[in-house]
């Protein structure tokens, strides 16, 4: 499906045409998607569109916006079309190896900052399965004396995360390492954070096509019950509790229905201090564990 965008068409008219096409196709966020694409593809600010919306698209603008609209109508998410998305008010480039950062994941950043509220405190932290690096970079942005490591199994994701750290001015305090969970690490860390894969494998086929077809499966698939990554992380800490400093914490994003299961799993592995936090929608979203392992 395509949208007819002639070079002589004004920017305002092009936006209206995109909205109409997206609504006709049943896209859930038709108006915001059309506006995002129009602004970004034409390199406009909202003020530009308001003041100069009657200017024609031009040949290059019409072609670029038409291609973007066709991709959206084919089901590709706006973030994938743009190759970038915002998280914590910061820009992040994306690649096929990385998830699109979600607002829910900002709950991990909020929980971690709440544990260490002193802005100038020195911290050593690691982001497991860093992907685009959004959690790590956001934390380093908020804690200017912190140093962090982003770990991921995908070299492509690490390249993107490294570039995102540079683009957001924290590259001098960030390192990136290829590895699986805690295996390649030596502590202690004050803070371990992660948004691991937590979708149960049988559920992936039922996800929206924008997620199922465009996000990397390795970043979604949490095994048969969605808990495989948590088991690996918690087992690694149980074996090597020294990876966390005495006042350190582990902060994990979870699925909205996984709070009880994660609490039970952590307690079964010897973690006594387990707390579940909620996102802005009131759903369980974050599990925080402090170093209160039996026998520590």
């Amino acid at each position: 499906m395509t949208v007819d965008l002639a070079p002589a068409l004004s920017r305002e008219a092009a936006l209206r045409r995109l909205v109409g096409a997206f609504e006709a196709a049943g896209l859930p966020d038709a108006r915001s998607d059309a506006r995002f694409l129009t602004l970004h593809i034409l390199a406009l600010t909202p003020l530009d569109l308001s003041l100069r919306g009657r200017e024609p698209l031009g040949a290059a603008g019409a072609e670029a916006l038409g291609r973007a609209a066709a991709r959206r109508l084919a089901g590709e998410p706006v973030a994938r079309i743009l190759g970038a998305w915002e998280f914590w008010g910061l820009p992040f480039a994306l690649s096929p190896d990385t998830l699109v950062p979600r607002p829910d994941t900002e709950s991990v950043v909020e929980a971690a900052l709440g544990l260490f509220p002193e802005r100038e405190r020195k911290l050593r932290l690691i982001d497991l399965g860093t992907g685009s690096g959004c959690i790590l970079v956001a934390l380093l942005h908020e804690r200017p004396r912190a140093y962090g490591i982003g770990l991921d199994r995908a070299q492509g994701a690490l390249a993107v995360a490294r570039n995102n750290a540079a683009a957001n001015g924290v590259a001098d305090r960030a390192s990136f390492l290829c590895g699986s969970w805690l295996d390649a690490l030596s502590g202690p860390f004050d803070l371990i954070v992660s948004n691991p894969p937590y979708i149960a494998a049988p559920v992936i086929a039922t996800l929206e096509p924008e997620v199922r077809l465009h996000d990397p499966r390795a970043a979604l698939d949490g095994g048969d019950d969605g808990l495989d990554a948590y088991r690996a992380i918690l087992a690694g800490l149980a074996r090597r509790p020294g990876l966390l400093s005495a006042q350190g914490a582990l902060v994990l994003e979870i699925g909205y229905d996984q709070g009880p299961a994660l609490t039970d799993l952590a307690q079964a592995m010897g973690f006594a201090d387990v707390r579940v936090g909620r996102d802005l929608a009131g759903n369980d979203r974050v599990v925080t564990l402090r170093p209160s392992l039996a026998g520590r």
Side-chain angles (χ1 to χ4, degrees):
M1 186 180 296
T2 60
V3 182
D4 183 19
L5 299 175
L9 195 67
S10 73
R11 294 161 169 174
E12 292 175 339
L15 174 56
R16 290 194 296 270
R17 194 162 292 185
L18 258 63
V19 170
F22 290 177
E23 288 180 338
L27 298 180
D29 300 306
R31 290 185 178 275
S32 62
D33 285 359
R35 187 171 177 82
F36 259 115
L37 288 177
T38 300
L39 292 175
H40 286 268
I41 297 299
L42 300 180
L44 301 173
T45 67
L47 183 60
D48 290 334
L49 187 61
S50 176
L51 295 179
R52 299 161 49 203
R54 294 184 180 181
E55 293 184 12
L57 288 174
E63 182 180 357
L65 191 57
R67 286 198 304 267
R71 291 170 66 180
R72 184 70 193 99
L73 289 167
E76 191 171 351
V78 171
R80 295 294 179 190
I81 296 170
L82 300 179
W85 206 238
E86 185 177 285
F87 178 85
W88 202 256
L90 303 169
F92 288 88
L94 306 175
S95 82
D97 293 303
T98 65
L99 286 174
V100 176
R102 267 72 168 184
D104 290 342
T105 303
E106 293 189 353
S107 299
V108 175
V109 178
E110 291 171 353
L113 294 175
L115 293 170
F116 300 96
E118 304 89 350
R119 178 172 171 79
E120 298 300 322
R121 178 169 176 170
K122 292 183 178 180
L123 293 172
R124 188 167 186 249
L125 61 99
I126 185 159
D127 179 15
L128 304 176
T130 194
S132 66
C134 62
I135 298 176
L136 174 66
V137 170
L139 289 170
L140 294 179
H141 184 267
E142 296 296 328
R143 295 293 178 264
R145 301 186 72 187
Y147 172 82
I149 298 172
L151 182 142
D152 206 288
R153 289 181 296 180
Q155 290 284 2
L158 291 172
V160 171
R162 190 176 292 109
N163 289 338
N164 283 330
N168 285 290
V170 299
D172 60 330
R173 294 183 288 116
S175 296
F176 297 91
L177 178 67
C178 187
S180 180
W181 305 128
L182 299 170
D183 296 345
L185 304 177
S186 59
F189 294 97
D190 302 297
L191 182 61
I192 301 175
V193 295
S194 183
N195 174 21
Y198 58 72
I199 307 297
V203 175
I204 292 177
T206 71
L207 298 176
E208 292 293 327
E210 292 188 10
V211 175
R212 174 169 45 85
L213 300 178
H214 296 280
D215 277 336
R217 185 181 177 98
L220 300 173
D221 191 343
D224 288 343
D225 62 358
L227 302 178
D228 281 1
Y230 302 109
R231 291 190 184 93
I233 294 169
L234 295 178
L237 271 181
R239 288 193 304 269
R240 301 165 61 203
L243 286 174
L244 271 179
S245 65
Q247 302 301 316
L250 170 66
V251 182
L252 302 171
E253 179 170 339
I254 60 171
Y256 73 95
D257 58 351
Q258 292 178 320
L262 255 294
T263 300
D264 290 345
L265 179 62
Q267 290 176 343
M269 290 189 176
F271 295 84
D273 187 353
V274 183
R275 305 181 187 186
V276 178
R278 295 182 175 178
D279 58 24
L280 292 177
N283 297 314
D284 287 351
R285 188 59 59 192
V286 180
V287 166
T288 301
L289 301 97
R290 303 304 291 260
S292 53
L293 289 166
R296 187 187 177 100

